[in-house]
Amino acid sequence: MPSSTGNSLLENYVSVLKKYNDFNGRARRSEYWQFVLINVAITQVLNITNIMLFNGFALIAWVVLLFNLAILLPTIAVAIRRMHDVGKSGWFVLVPIYNFILAVTEGERSSNQYGNDPKAKTAQMA
């Protein structure tokens, strides 16, 4: 299913994983929220599978823990880039409710101190 950027959910997810150590630049709302959505879905499927099939067996819980540890750094990186898109420092990720408000806010429509508008780059490629 193509997203607003023209890429599938999986392509956007892999794109974020490839930029796991990139704390510079900006991330669009769709890039951030698709990554979060897929991570929540994977975690929930693993949890439900663990409960339904394995009666909460500890081995599957370790798989869930390892998955969440594996995506921790890419999650932090994309969250910081998301804060940059709205013109805020990456440190705003640590502010409990305000970071959610910023994550759902549309990014700045022009270049800011963190880079060029990612929407403008997508519009130029189309």
Side-chain angles (χ1 to χ4, degrees), residues 39-88:
N39 287 333
V40 167
I42 291 170
T43 301
Q44 290 307 310
V45 166
L46 289 172
N47 283 328
I48 291 169
T49 302
N50 185 24
I51 292 167
M52 300 291 278
L53 298 179
F54 301 106
N55 208 16
F57 184 60
L59 181 63
I60 302 299
W62 281 103
V63 171
V64 173
L65 177 67
L66 290 174
F67 170 74
N68 284 314
L69 284 174
I71 63 166
L72 180 62
L73 192 58
T75 302
I76 293 169
V78 75
I80 289 173
R81 290 194 313 270
R82 181 70 203 122
M83 296 299 111
H84 289 172
D85 192 41
V86 293
K88 301 292 184 184

mmCIF file of all heavy atoms in Angstrom, residues 39-88:
data_model
loop_
_atom_site.group_PDB
_atom_site.id
_atom_site.type_symbol
_atom_site.label_atom_id
_atom_site.label_comp_id
_atom_site.label_asym_id
_atom_site.label_seq_id
_atom_site.Cartn_x
_atom_site.Cartn_y
_atom_site.Cartn_z
ATOM 1 N N ASN A 39 6.117 -0.873 14.501
ATOM 2 C CA ASN A 39 6.737 -1.404 15.717
ATOM 3 C C ASN A 39 5.694 -1.851 16.735
ATOM 4 O O ASN A 39 5.836 -2.906 17.348
ATOM 5 C CB ASN A 39 7.675 -0.371 16.348
ATOM 6 C CG ASN A 39 8.931 -0.207 15.553
ATOM 7 O OD1 ASN A 39 9.367 -1.119 14.859
ATOM 8 N ND2 ASN A 39 9.524 0.960 15.629
ATOM 9 N N VAL A 40 4.652 -1.065 16.903
ATOM 10 C CA VAL A 40 3.579 -1.448 17.829
ATOM 11 C C VAL A 40 2.892 -2.712 17.328
ATOM 12 O O VAL A 40 2.611 -3.632 18.109
ATOM 13 C CB VAL A 40 2.573 -0.285 18.006
ATOM 14 C CG1 VAL A 40 1.305 -0.747 18.699
ATOM 15 C CG2 VAL A 40 3.216 0.857 18.766
ATOM 16 N N ALA A 41 2.637 -2.788 16.032
ATOM 17 C CA ALA A 41 1.969 -3.969 15.471
ATOM 18 C C ALA A 41 2.820 -5.226 15.661
ATOM 19 O O ALA A 41 2.298 -6.272 16.090
ATOM 20 C CB ALA A 41 1.677 -3.750 13.996
ATOM 21 N N ILE A 42 4.106 -5.143 15.370
ATOM 22 C CA ILE A 42 4.984 -6.303 15.535
ATOM 23 C C ILE A 42 5.030 -6.743 16.990
ATOM 24 O O ILE A 42 4.910 -7.931 17.307
ATOM 25 C CB ILE A 42 6.405 -5.993 15.006
ATOM 26 C CG1 ILE A 42 6.390 -5.854 13.489
ATOM 27 C CG2 ILE A 42 7.395 -7.072 15.436
ATOM 28 C CD1 ILE A 42 7.685 -5.316 12.904
ATOM 29 N N THR A 43 5.188 -5.780 17.889
ATOM 30 C CA THR A 43 5.252 -6.105 19.316
ATOM 31 C C THR A 43 3.959 -6.746 19.795
ATOM 32 O O THR A 43 3.979 -7.734 20.536
ATOM 33 C CB THR A 43 5.562 -4.836 20.139
ATOM 34 O OG1 THR A 43 6.812 -4.295 19.686
ATOM 35 C CG2 THR A 43 5.650 -5.138 21.619
ATOM 36 N N GLN A 44 2.823 -6.212 19.365
ATOM 37 C CA GLN A 44 1.547 -6.757 19.799
ATOM 38 C C GLN A 44 1.299 -8.154 19.227
ATOM 39 O O GLN A 44 0.783 -9.030 19.930
ATOM 40 C CB GLN A 44 0.400 -5.814 19.441
ATOM 41 C CG GLN A 44 0.409 -4.546 20.255
ATOM 42 C CD GLN A 44 0.457 -4.808 21.741
ATOM 43 O OE1 GLN A 44 -0.311 -5.593 22.281
ATOM 44 N NE2 GLN A 44 1.383 -4.151 22.420
ATOM 45 N N VAL A 45 1.671 -8.366 17.983
ATOM 46 C CA VAL A 45 1.526 -9.706 17.399
ATOM 47 C C VAL A 45 2.376 -10.711 18.167
ATOM 48 O O VAL A 45 1.923 -11.824 18.480
ATOM 49 C CB VAL A 45 1.888 -9.691 15.893
ATOM 50 C CG1 VAL A 45 2.080 -11.095 15.354
ATOM 51 C CG2 VAL A 45 0.813 -8.951 15.100
ATOM 52 N N LEU A 46 3.603 -10.335 18.480
ATOM 53 C CA LEU A 46 4.462 -11.228 19.266
ATOM 54 C C LEU A 46 3.883 -11.481 20.655
ATOM 55 O O LEU A 46 3.888 -12.625 21.137
ATOM 56 C CB LEU A 46 5.874 -10.650 19.378
ATOM 57 C CG LEU A 46 6.719 -10.674 18.113
ATOM 58 C CD1 LEU A 46 8.010 -9.885 18.321
ATOM 59 C CD2 LEU A 46 7.029 -12.098 17.683
ATOM 60 N N ASN A 47 3.363 -10.454 21.303
ATOM 61 C CA ASN A 47 2.767 -10.617 22.626
ATOM 62 C C ASN A 47 1.531 -11.510 22.595
ATOM 63 O O ASN A 47 1.361 -12.390 23.443
ATOM 64 C CB ASN A 47 2.412 -9.262 23.241
ATOM 65 C CG ASN A 47 3.608 -8.540 23.789
ATOM 66 O OD1 ASN A 47 4.558 -9.161 24.261
ATOM 67 N ND2 ASN A 47 3.569 -7.222 23.747
ATOM 68 N N ILE A 48 0.657 -11.274 21.624
ATOM 69 C CA ILE A 48 -0.558 -12.089 21.512
ATOM 70 C C ILE A 48 -0.200 -13.528 21.190
ATOM 71 O O ILE A 48 -0.782 -14.462 21.744
ATOM 72 C CB ILE A 48 -1.523 -11.480 20.473
ATOM 73 C CG1 ILE A 48 -2.085 -10.165 21.013
ATOM 74 C CG2 ILE A 48 -2.646 -12.447 20.112
ATOM 75 C CD1 ILE A 48 -2.843 -9.341 19.999
ATOM 76 N N THR A 49 0.754 -13.722 20.295
ATOM 77 C CA THR A 49 1.214 -15.075 19.969
ATOM 78 C C THR A 49 1.763 -15.755 21.214
ATOM 79 O O THR A 49 1.476 -16.929 21.469
ATOM 80 C CB THR A 49 2.303 -15.027 18.872
ATOM 81 O OG1 THR A 49 1.766 -14.381 17.726
ATOM 82 C CG2 THR A 49 2.779 -16.413 18.511
ATOM 83 N N ASN A 50 2.514 -15.026 21.985
ATOM 84 C CA ASN A 50 3.087 -15.567 23.217
ATOM 85 C C ASN A 50 1.984 -16.015 24.181
ATOM 86 O O ASN A 50 2.052 -17.106 24.743
ATOM 87 C CB ASN A 50 3.981 -14.519 23.876
ATOM 88 C CG ASN A 50 4.703 -15.046 25.084
ATOM 89 O OD1 ASN A 50 4.915 -16.232 25.236
ATOM 90 N ND2 ASN A 50 5.097 -14.140 25.961
ATOM 91 N N ILE A 51 0.970 -15.197 24.335
ATOM 92 C CA ILE A 51 -0.099 -15.519 25.273
ATOM 93 C C ILE A 51 -0.981 -16.652 24.756
ATOM 94 O O ILE A 51 -1.284 -17.597 25.485
ATOM 95 C CB ILE A 51 -0.938 -14.263 25.565
ATOM 96 C CG1 ILE A 51 -0.091 -13.256 26.353
ATOM 97 C CG2 ILE A 51 -2.210 -14.608 26.327
ATOM 98 C CD1 ILE A 51 -0.692 -11.877 26.439
ATOM 99 N N MET A 52 -1.374 -16.568 23.476
ATOM 100 C CA MET A 52 -2.320 -17.543 22.919
ATOM 101 C C MET A 52 -1.690 -18.924 22.685
ATOM 102 O O MET A 52 -2.307 -19.936 22.988
ATOM 103 C CB MET A 52 -2.909 -17.020 21.611
ATOM 104 C CG MET A 52 -3.665 -15.721 21.761
ATOM 105 S SD MET A 52 -5.181 -15.892 22.661
ATOM 106 C CE MET A 52 -6.250 -16.472 21.397
ATOM 107 N N LEU A 53 -0.499 -18.939 22.133
ATOM 108 C CA LEU A 53 0.106 -20.217 21.755
ATOM 109 C C LEU A 53 1.035 -20.807 22.801
ATOM 110 O O LEU A 53 1.146 -22.021 22.924
ATOM 111 C CB LEU A 53 0.866 -20.071 20.436
ATOM 112 C CG LEU A 53 0.040 -19.673 19.219
ATOM 113 C CD1 LEU A 53 0.937 -19.540 18.005
ATOM 114 C CD2 LEU A 53 -1.074 -20.676 18.963
ATOM 115 N N PHE A 54 1.705 -19.940 23.530
ATOM 116 C CA PHE A 54 2.742 -20.428 24.431
ATOM 117 C C PHE A 54 2.439 -20.161 25.897
ATOM 118 O O PHE A 54 3.278 -20.385 26.752
ATOM 119 C CB PHE A 54 4.093 -19.806 24.059
ATOM 120 C CG PHE A 54 4.514 -20.119 22.655
ATOM 121 C CD1 PHE A 54 4.438 -19.142 21.672
ATOM 122 C CD2 PHE A 54 4.958 -21.373 22.307
ATOM 123 C CE1 PHE A 54 4.807 -19.416 20.370
ATOM 124 C CE2 PHE A 54 5.329 -21.664 21.014
ATOM 125 C CZ PHE A 54 5.260 -20.680 20.045
ATOM 126 N N ASN A 55 1.229 -19.658 26.180
ATOM 127 C CA ASN A 55 0.805 -19.438 27.554
ATOM 128 C C ASN A 55 1.778 -18.542 28.325
ATOM 129 O O ASN A 55 2.064 -18.784 29.493
ATOM 130 C CB ASN A 55 0.602 -20.776 28.255
ATOM 131 C CG ASN A 55 -0.423 -20.685 29.362
ATOM 132 O OD1 ASN A 55 -1.171 -19.723 29.410
ATOM 133 N ND2 ASN A 55 -0.452 -21.676 30.229
ATOM 134 N N GLY A 56 2.324 -17.546 27.663
ATOM 135 C CA GLY A 56 3.230 -16.607 28.298
ATOM 136 C C GLY A 56 4.625 -17.157 28.530
ATOM 137 O O GLY A 56 5.343 -16.693 29.401
ATOM 138 N N PHE A 57 5.035 -18.132 27.731
ATOM 139 C CA PHE A 57 6.348 -18.746 27.883
ATOM 140 C C PHE A 57 7.453 -17.701 27.774
ATOM 141 O O PHE A 57 7.411 -16.826 26.918
ATOM 142 C CB PHE A 57 6.527 -19.828 26.814
ATOM 143 C CG PHE A 57 7.802 -20.612 26.924
ATOM 144 C CD1 PHE A 57 8.083 -21.344 28.052
ATOM 145 C CD2 PHE A 57 8.717 -20.598 25.894
ATOM 146 C CE1 PHE A 57 9.253 -22.071 28.153
ATOM 147 C CE2 PHE A 57 9.889 -21.312 25.977
ATOM 148 C CZ PHE A 57 10.159 -22.049 27.114
ATOM 149 N N ALA A 58 8.432 -17.789 28.634
ATOM 150 C CA ALA A 58 9.453 -16.746 28.764
ATOM 151 C C ALA A 58 10.305 -16.556 27.509
ATOM 152 O O ALA A 58 10.765 -15.457 27.248
ATOM 153 C CB ALA A 58 10.351 -17.042 29.956
ATOM 154 N N LEU A 59 10.521 -17.603 26.712
ATOM 155 C CA LEU A 59 11.381 -17.481 25.539
ATOM 156 C C LEU A 59 10.842 -16.447 24.554
ATOM 157 O O LEU A 59 11.594 -15.631 24.037
ATOM 158 C CB LEU A 59 11.548 -18.833 24.845
ATOM 159 C CG LEU A 59 12.437 -18.844 23.608
ATOM 160 C CD1 LEU A 59 13.862 -18.452 23.991
ATOM 161 C CD2 LEU A 59 12.413 -20.178 22.933
ATOM 162 N N ILE A 60 9.540 -16.466 24.307
ATOM 163 C CA ILE A 60 8.944 -15.500 23.379
ATOM 164 C C ILE A 60 9.033 -14.089 23.968
ATOM 165 O O ILE A 60 9.257 -13.113 23.242
ATOM 166 C CB ILE A 60 7.476 -15.867 23.063
ATOM 167 C CG1 ILE A 60 7.386 -17.268 22.477
ATOM 168 C CG2 ILE A 60 6.848 -14.851 22.126
ATOM 169 C CD1 ILE A 60 8.135 -17.466 21.182
ATOM 170 N N ALA A 61 8.900 -13.967 25.273
ATOM 171 C CA ALA A 61 9.050 -12.659 25.908
ATOM 172 C C ALA A 61 10.456 -12.115 25.677
ATOM 173 O O ALA A 61 10.639 -10.912 25.487
ATOM 174 C CB ALA A 61 8.749 -12.763 27.399
ATOM 175 N N TRP A 62 11.442 -12.981 25.649
ATOM 176 C CA TRP A 62 12.813 -12.552 25.359
ATOM 177 C C TRP A 62 12.941 -12.078 23.918
ATOM 178 O O TRP A 62 13.687 -11.141 23.628
ATOM 179 C CB TRP A 62 13.817 -13.674 25.642
ATOM 180 C CG TRP A 62 14.112 -13.808 27.102
ATOM 181 C CD1 TRP A 62 13.636 -14.757 27.959
ATOM 182 C CD2 TRP A 62 14.936 -12.952 27.883
ATOM 183 N NE1 TRP A 62 14.116 -14.535 29.221
ATOM 184 C CE2 TRP A 62 14.919 -13.439 29.207
ATOM 185 C CE3 TRP A 62 15.682 -11.809 27.601
ATOM 186 C CZ2 TRP A 62 15.612 -12.818 30.229
ATOM 187 C CZ3 TRP A 62 16.381 -11.203 28.630
ATOM 188 C CH2 TRP A 62 16.346 -11.709 29.922
ATOM 189 N N VAL A 63 12.219 -12.704 23.006
ATOM 190 C CA VAL A 63 12.228 -12.278 21.604
ATOM 191 C C VAL A 63 11.652 -10.859 21.495
ATOM 192 O O VAL A 63 12.191 -10.013 20.792
ATOM 193 C CB VAL A 63 11.445 -13.270 20.710
ATOM 194 C CG1 VAL A 63 11.262 -12.725 19.306
ATOM 195 C CG2 VAL A 63 12.135 -14.619 20.681
ATOM 196 N N VAL A 64 10.565 -10.610 22.212
ATOM 197 C CA VAL A 64 9.958 -9.278 22.221
ATOM 198 C C VAL A 64 10.949 -8.262 22.781
ATOM 199 O O VAL A 64 11.135 -7.172 22.221
ATOM 200 C CB VAL A 64 8.640 -9.265 23.031
ATOM 201 C CG1 VAL A 64 8.101 -7.857 23.191
ATOM 202 C CG2 VAL A 64 7.613 -10.166 22.389
ATOM 203 N N LEU A 65 11.597 -8.622 23.882
ATOM 204 C CA LEU A 65 12.590 -7.730 24.485
ATOM 205 C C LEU A 65 13.742 -7.448 23.529
ATOM 206 O O LEU A 65 14.148 -6.300 23.352
ATOM 207 C CB LEU A 65 13.118 -8.328 25.789
ATOM 208 C CG LEU A 65 14.213 -7.522 26.483
ATOM 209 C CD1 LEU A 65 13.665 -6.203 26.993
ATOM 210 C CD2 LEU A 65 14.825 -8.333 27.598
ATOM 211 N N LEU A 66 14.254 -8.475 22.872
ATOM 212 C CA LEU A 66 15.353 -8.283 21.921
ATOM 213 C C LEU A 66 14.928 -7.428 20.729
ATOM 214 O O LEU A 66 15.699 -6.594 20.252
ATOM 215 C CB LEU A 66 15.893 -9.632 21.456
ATOM 216 C CG LEU A 66 16.662 -10.429 22.505
ATOM 217 C CD1 LEU A 66 17.031 -11.814 21.972
ATOM 218 C CD2 LEU A 66 17.900 -9.676 22.943
ATOM 219 N N PHE A 67 13.703 -7.627 20.244
ATOM 220 C CA PHE A 67 13.197 -6.803 19.141
ATOM 221 C C PHE A 67 13.148 -5.338 19.568
ATOM 222 O O PHE A 67 13.599 -4.454 18.832
ATOM 223 C CB PHE A 67 11.809 -7.280 18.700
ATOM 224 C CG PHE A 67 11.143 -6.334 17.738
ATOM 225 C CD1 PHE A 67 11.563 -6.266 16.420
ATOM 226 C CD2 PHE A 67 10.124 -5.493 18.155
ATOM 227 C CE1 PHE A 67 10.970 -5.378 15.526
ATOM 228 C CE2 PHE A 67 9.528 -4.604 17.280
ATOM 229 C CZ PHE A 67 9.954 -4.551 15.962
ATOM 230 N N ASN A 68 12.601 -5.094 20.758
ATOM 231 C CA ASN A 68 12.498 -3.707 21.231
ATOM 232 C C ASN A 68 13.865 -3.085 21.465
ATOM 233 O O ASN A 68 14.055 -1.896 21.207
ATOM 234 C CB ASN A 68 11.631 -3.634 22.484
ATOM 235 C CG ASN A 68 10.163 -3.773 22.150
ATOM 236 O OD1 ASN A 68 9.668 -3.140 21.233
ATOM 237 N ND2 ASN A 68 9.470 -4.625 22.866
ATOM 238 N N LEU A 69 14.824 -3.864 21.922
ATOM 239 C CA LEU A 69 16.186 -3.347 22.069
ATOM 240 C C LEU A 69 16.810 -3.052 20.706
ATOM 241 O O LEU A 69 17.531 -2.075 20.548
ATOM 242 C CB LEU A 69 17.053 -4.325 22.841
ATOM 243 C CG LEU A 69 16.835 -4.361 24.353
ATOM 244 C CD1 LEU A 69 17.665 -5.487 24.985
ATOM 245 C CD2 LEU A 69 17.183 -3.030 24.977
ATOM 246 N N ALA A 70 16.522 -3.896 19.721
ATOM 247 C CA ALA A 70 17.085 -3.711 18.381
ATOM 248 C C ALA A 70 16.562 -2.445 17.713
ATOM 249 O O ALA A 70 17.286 -1.810 16.946
ATOM 250 C CB ALA A 70 16.775 -4.931 17.514
ATOM 251 N N ILE A 71 15.320 -2.068 17.992
ATOM 252 C CA ILE A 71 14.751 -0.880 17.350
ATOM 253 C C ILE A 71 14.869 0.369 18.219
ATOM 254 O O ILE A 71 14.412 1.435 17.808
ATOM 255 C CB ILE A 71 13.280 -1.102 16.950
ATOM 256 C CG1 ILE A 71 12.417 -1.358 18.183
ATOM 257 C CG2 ILE A 71 13.158 -2.183 15.901
ATOM 258 C CD1 ILE A 71 10.942 -1.256 17.913
ATOM 259 N N LEU A 72 15.499 0.262 19.380
ATOM 260 C CA LEU A 72 15.607 1.410 20.275
ATOM 261 C C LEU A 72 16.354 2.575 19.632
ATOM 262 O O LEU A 72 15.861 3.704 19.609
ATOM 263 C CB LEU A 72 16.288 1.005 21.587
ATOM 264 C CG LEU A 72 16.458 2.123 22.614
ATOM 265 C CD1 LEU A 72 15.097 2.658 23.039
ATOM 266 C CD2 LEU A 72 17.237 1.617 23.811
ATOM 267 N N LEU A 73 17.536 2.325 19.088
ATOM 268 C CA LEU A 73 18.329 3.396 18.491
ATOM 269 C C LEU A 73 17.644 4.012 17.266
ATOM 270 O O LEU A 73 17.568 5.240 17.167
ATOM 271 C CB LEU A 73 19.736 2.898 18.154
ATOM 272 C CG LEU A 73 20.757 3.963 17.802
ATOM 273 C CD1 LEU A 73 20.919 4.965 18.934
ATOM 274 C CD2 LEU A 73 22.093 3.318 17.489
ATOM 275 N N PRO A 74 17.103 3.204 16.329
ATOM 276 C CA PRO A 74 16.372 3.830 15.212
ATOM 277 C C PRO A 74 15.150 4.631 15.677
ATOM 278 O O PRO A 74 14.828 5.668 15.093
ATOM 279 C CB PRO A 74 15.932 2.644 14.351
ATOM 280 C CG PRO A 74 16.832 1.537 14.716
ATOM 281 C CD PRO A 74 17.240 1.762 16.133
ATOM 282 N N THR A 75 14.499 4.190 16.735
ATOM 283 C CA THR A 75 13.340 4.911 17.259
ATOM 284 C C THR A 75 13.746 6.264 17.817
ATOM 285 O O THR A 75 13.085 7.287 17.566
ATOM 286 C CB THR A 75 12.630 4.073 18.340
ATOM 287 O OG1 THR A 75 12.229 2.827 17.770
ATOM 288 C CG2 THR A 75 11.420 4.798 18.898
ATOM 289 N N ILE A 76 14.842 6.298 18.560
ATOM 290 C CA ILE A 76 15.331 7.565 19.098
ATOM 291 C C ILE A 76 15.750 8.489 17.960
ATOM 292 O O ILE A 76 15.426 9.684 17.962
ATOM 293 C CB ILE A 76 16.500 7.318 20.077
ATOM 294 C CG1 ILE A 76 15.993 6.592 21.327
ATOM 295 C CG2 ILE A 76 17.185 8.626 20.454
ATOM 296 C CD1 ILE A 76 17.095 6.078 22.230
ATOM 297 N N ALA A 77 16.437 7.944 16.966
ATOM 298 C CA ALA A 77 16.912 8.757 15.840
ATOM 299 C C ALA A 77 15.750 9.373 15.063
ATOM 300 O O ALA A 77 15.768 10.575 14.757
ATOM 301 C CB ALA A 77 17.787 7.917 14.918
ATOM 302 N N VAL A 78 14.735 8.588 14.741
ATOM 303 C CA VAL A 78 13.610 9.123 13.971
ATOM 304 C C VAL A 78 12.802 10.107 14.822
ATOM 305 O O VAL A 78 12.270 11.102 14.300
ATOM 306 C CB VAL A 78 12.722 8.006 13.369
ATOM 307 C CG1 VAL A 78 11.847 7.336 14.401
ATOM 308 C CG2 VAL A 78 11.877 8.547 12.225
ATOM 309 N N ALA A 79 12.721 9.894 16.124
ATOM 310 C CA ALA A 79 12.014 10.839 16.999
ATOM 311 C C ALA A 79 12.744 12.183 17.052
ATOM 312 O O ALA A 79 12.107 13.242 17.007
ATOM 313 C CB ALA A 79 11.872 10.247 18.402
ATOM 314 N N ILE A 80 14.066 12.139 17.120
ATOM 315 C CA ILE A 80 14.839 13.384 17.127
ATOM 316 C C ILE A 80 14.684 14.108 15.797
ATOM 317 O O ILE A 80 14.472 15.331 15.763
ATOM 318 C CB ILE A 80 16.314 13.094 17.458
ATOM 319 C CG1 ILE A 80 16.445 12.708 18.934
ATOM 320 C CG2 ILE A 80 17.211 14.286 17.121
ATOM 321 C CD1 ILE A 80 17.813 12.231 19.341
ATOM 322 N N ARG A 81 14.743 13.363 14.688
ATOM 323 C CA ARG A 81 14.545 13.998 13.382
ATOM 324 C C ARG A 81 13.138 14.572 13.258
ATOM 325 O O ARG A 81 12.927 15.602 12.626
ATOM 326 C CB ARG A 81 14.833 13.009 12.251
ATOM 327 C CG ARG A 81 16.294 12.652 12.129
ATOM 328 C CD ARG A 81 16.634 11.948 10.832
ATOM 329 N NE ARG A 81 15.755 10.871 10.463
ATOM 330 C CZ ARG A 81 15.929 9.591 10.817
ATOM 331 N NH1 ARG A 81 16.969 9.248 11.559
ATOM 332 N NH2 ARG A 81 15.089 8.669 10.424
ATOM 333 N N ARG A 82 12.151 13.921 13.901
ATOM 334 C CA ARG A 82 10.775 14.438 13.888
ATOM 335 C C ARG A 82 10.706 15.777 14.632
ATOM 336 O O ARG A 82 10.039 16.707 14.196
ATOM 337 C CB ARG A 82 9.823 13.412 14.519
ATOM 338 C CG ARG A 82 8.393 13.841 14.542
ATOM 339 C CD ARG A 82 7.783 13.871 13.146
ATOM 340 N NE ARG A 82 6.656 14.781 13.151
ATOM 341 C CZ ARG A 82 6.546 15.841 12.361
ATOM 342 N NH1 ARG A 82 7.439 16.096 11.450
ATOM 343 N NH2 ARG A 82 5.518 16.630 12.451
ATOM 344 N N MET A 83 11.390 15.870 15.764
ATOM 345 C CA MET A 83 11.425 17.136 16.507
ATOM 346 C C MET A 83 12.100 18.222 15.664
ATOM 347 O O MET A 83 11.665 19.373 15.657
ATOM 348 C CB MET A 83 12.176 16.987 17.834
ATOM 349 C CG MET A 83 11.537 16.052 18.844
ATOM 350 S SD MET A 83 9.888 16.529 19.372
ATOM 351 C CE MET A 83 8.890 15.235 18.642
ATOM 352 N N HIS A 84 13.130 17.851 14.933
ATOM 353 C CA HIS A 84 13.814 18.810 14.055
ATOM 354 C C HIS A 84 12.870 19.328 12.974
ATOM 355 O O HIS A 84 12.971 20.485 12.563
ATOM 356 C CB HIS A 84 15.026 18.161 13.393
ATOM 357 C CG HIS A 84 16.156 17.900 14.334
ATOM 358 N ND1 HIS A 84 17.260 17.181 13.945
ATOM 359 C CD2 HIS A 84 16.375 18.231 15.628
ATOM 360 C CE1 HIS A 84 18.107 17.097 14.960
ATOM 361 N NE2 HIS A 84 17.578 17.729 15.998
ATOM 362 N N ASP A 85 11.957 18.482 12.500
ATOM 363 C CA ASP A 85 11.048 18.886 11.432
ATOM 364 C C ASP A 85 10.119 20.012 11.881
ATOM 365 O O ASP A 85 9.700 20.828 11.070
ATOM 366 C CB ASP A 85 10.230 17.696 10.945
ATOM 367 C CG ASP A 85 9.489 17.986 9.647
ATOM 368 O OD1 ASP A 85 10.079 18.628 8.752
ATOM 369 O OD2 ASP A 85 8.328 17.561 9.520
ATOM 370 N N VAL A 86 9.806 20.057 13.165
ATOM 371 C CA VAL A 86 8.944 21.129 13.669
ATOM 372 C C VAL A 86 9.774 22.276 14.241
ATOM 373 O O VAL A 86 9.238 23.181 14.884
ATOM 374 C CB VAL A 86 7.916 20.615 14.708
ATOM 375 C CG1 VAL A 86 6.922 19.690 14.061
ATOM 376 C CG2 VAL A 86 8.594 19.972 15.887
ATOM 377 N N GLY A 87 11.090 22.233 14.013
ATOM 378 C CA GLY A 87 11.960 23.335 14.414
ATOM 379 C C GLY A 87 12.404 23.299 15.857
ATOM 380 O O GLY A 87 12.825 24.316 16.404
ATOM 381 N N LYS A 88 12.308 22.159 16.508
ATOM 382 C CA LYS A 88 12.684 22.031 17.913
ATOM 383 C C LYS A 88 13.930 21.170 18.048
ATOM 384 O O LYS A 88 14.246 20.354 17.192
ATOM 385 C CB LYS A 88 11.551 21.398 18.733
ATOM 386 C CG LYS A 88 10.258 22.157 18.703
ATOM 387 C CD LYS A 88 10.371 23.467 19.429
ATOM 388 C CE LYS A 88 9.028 24.171 19.461
ATOM 389 N NZ LYS A 88 9.122 25.473 20.064
#
